[in-house]
Amino acid sequence: MASSSSKSNPRLSKLRRLIKQSGADALLVTNFKNVTYLTGFTGDDSYLLVTPKNEILFSDPRYSEQLETECPGLELEIRQPGVPILSTVQKAVAKAKIQTLGIESPSMTVELFHKLCAKLDKVKVQPVDGFVEQLREIKDKQEIALTREAIALAEKAFAIVKAGLRGDQTEKEIEAIINFEIQRNGGRGTSFPPIVGVGARAALPHGTPGLTKIQEDSFVLIDWGADYQFYKSDLTRVLFTGKAPAKMKKMYDVCLKAQLAAIEQIKPGAIMKDVDHAARSVIAKAGWGKNFGHGLGHGLGLDIHEAPRLGSNVDRPLEVGMVVTVEPGIYIPGFGGVRIEDDILVTKDGHEVMTSVPKSFEEMQVTL
């Protein structure tokens, strides 16, 4: 996590430059994940005021001890029970003589915006567009290390599921095992509710696990990830538990070819829509273009879905330090679906596939 000392925190230094360029005097950070990113504080219900010279974290007595441990040296404003957090913000803004206050427009609710404006009736409240999210796109060494740990936890859980797969297990049982194994090995849990779809249910890109048993068809799609110290991983594999229909094998081979083609394109400066096209064109050529109805991938970090996004309309270059998923899919309602997903780090020399779960068709065979 980030250091709470502004002098040794490059994230805050970069943020201050963005605030200055926007014309605001300060920024009120109300997105709890962004507060964590900037300070290392892992609680919630707390805001951070970033001024040109210092930072103030507004919280409540529940977190006093935790803040002393996680954020030594950070100026704190601990409100007493019954005192609204905006009242403490108002006093700090007045004391700092802030005339223009930036707020996080991508995440602040309309209700909170109106309450803040009412409290700060003599201050110009200026929406700014995702300053902290911009910084979060580029992972530093610590974030990359935490992501590797999240990947290792996810891969260990999947290996246990694969080795112990039984025909009488339900989708929900697989979901529960993944979550248990991640927590048992030190993770906070899954990075999102796992997607487990047997047979035709694999055609639901975000299907919810149910009581369908593994033995009810010859394949199962599993999309899962782990949360380690708030950083996320995200993988998808399809396991074959019986003789796969010829159509299913062709879908799998095409999907894998598409994924490998896209990964090959990843390097600094590569345009995101071109990476998406590399995969999409393979699937379209095979006749399933209309069956790939989502973007190719997304960034991940403190959130499971965060910027950047690999999509057909994203005309931005990849940069060193970005971590993105590459997850093409082919979905045929009533029959089934394939998605193959890995986590990729953009490096100065090209890219690194951070995930290592095997994915050839032969390696996805499981004997029940």
Side-chain angles (χ1 to χ4, degrees), residues 1 16 32 41-42 73-74 81 83-84 104 128 140 150 185 192 202 221 262 299-300 313 325 327 354 362:
M1 293 298 175
R16 283 194 170 91
F32 302 152
F41 174 54
T42 59
L74 181 63
V83 177
E104 297 190 294
V128 299
D140 59 29
N185 288 290
F192 58 93
L221 181 149
L300 73 165
N313 62 344
T325 66
E327 47 180 306
M354 302 177 76
E362 291 72 24

Side-chain angles (χ1 to χ4, degrees), residues 40 86 123 143 154 177-178 190 198 202 218 288 298 306 325 331 343:
L86 291 183
V123 176
E143 291 179 286
I177 293 169
I178 291 172
T190 55
V198 173
S218 59
W288 286 312
H298 55 84
E306 58 182 51
T325 66
Y331 313 95
D343 302 338

Side-chain angles (χ1 to χ4, degrees), residues 69-131:
T69 301
E70 295 182 342
C71 307
L74 181 63
E75 183 176 345
L76 305 175
E77 285 287 348
I78 305 298
R79 68 186 186 277
Q80 295 306 306
V83 177
I85 189 170
L86 291 183
S87 294
T88 57
V89 170
Q90 179 188 33
K91 291 180 180 179
V93 169
K95 183 178 180 181
K97 298 181 180 180
I98 294 168
Q99 296 180 328
T100 302
L101 178 67
I103 55 100
E104 297 190 294
S105 58
S107 56
M108 180 176 282
T109 65
V110 174
E111 179 184 21
L112 179 56
F113 175 74
H114 286 306
K115 286 183 177 180
L116 182 66
C117 290
K119 278 285 186 184
L120 305 177
D121 57 338
K122 295 181 181 180
V123 176
K124 179 183 177 182
V125 178
Q126 176 179 308
V128 299
D129 189 13
F131 284 175

